[in-house]
Amino acid sequence: MTTPLTTAAEMGGRRALALGLMALIFTLFVPTMGLALSVFGVIVGIRDLRTLKKGGQPTGMATGAVLISSLAFILGGVTTGVQIYLGTELTAYTECLKGAGTVTAQTECSDALKSALETKLGMPWPANMPLPG
């Protein structure tokens, strides 16, 4: 019969590390999903850290899991915040591209996005930073 202590010691923080890596990957594609997974990754990582310390086992994977999950949380939070703050402008740009059948029309969509971002952010768009399109 295995006890929770031996089960966590056998896992060695692998499940927390897997959650952290999944959170990081999801953060790049679906930020809100990555945000949720990163919270679970931190919780499981901290639980594994405590259990591994009690059992005198190495805590490297669990520590890495907490760090990766924390990074995914920060990235997911920033990305989600940007999407919420600039949601109207990004939606207008997407709708503009749907009707843009020529390169000139796509360029006009990019110019409209640039203008909307400059207005929303209250500063000129940096000349060396490209826009989509």
Side-chain angles (χ1 to χ4, degrees):
M1 180 174 191
T2 60
T3 64
L5 183 61
T6 58
T7 304
E10 290 169 0
M11 291 297 292
R14 284 187 217 130
R15 65 183 162 194
L17 189 58
L19 272 172
L21 291 173
M22 286 189 323
L24 193 58
I25 291 168
F26 271 90
T27 298
L28 299 174
F29 298 105
V30 186
T32 51
M33 189 77 130
L35 200 57
L37 278 174
S38 66
V39 170
F40 292 125
V42 168
I43 291 169
V44 172
I46 290 172
R47 282 183 41 194
D48 283 355
L49 270 172
R50 289 180 181 165
T51 305
L52 291 169
K53 282 183 182 178
K54 284 179 186 176
Q57 300 291 323
T59 59
M61 276 196 210
T63 304
V66 171
L67 291 174
I68 291 171
S69 295
S70 299
L71 175 67
F73 182 79
I74 292 168
L75 289 173
V78 168
T79 305
T80 301
V82 168
Q83 284 181 342
I84 290 170
Y85 184 69
L86 299 176
T88 306
E89 289 77 12
L90 295 173
T91 302
Y93 174 70
T94 303
E95 291 299 318
C96 180
L97 282 181
K98 284 181 183 177
T102 64
V103 174
T104 305
Q106 291 173 354
T107 303
E108 289 174 3
C109 292
S110 291
D111 292 342
L113 175 63
K114 180 180 177 182
S115 174
L117 290 176
E118 288 176 343
T119 301
K120 181 82 171 209
L121 299 174
M123 58 185 245
W125 191 260
N128 58 351
M129 185 179 284
L131 279 170

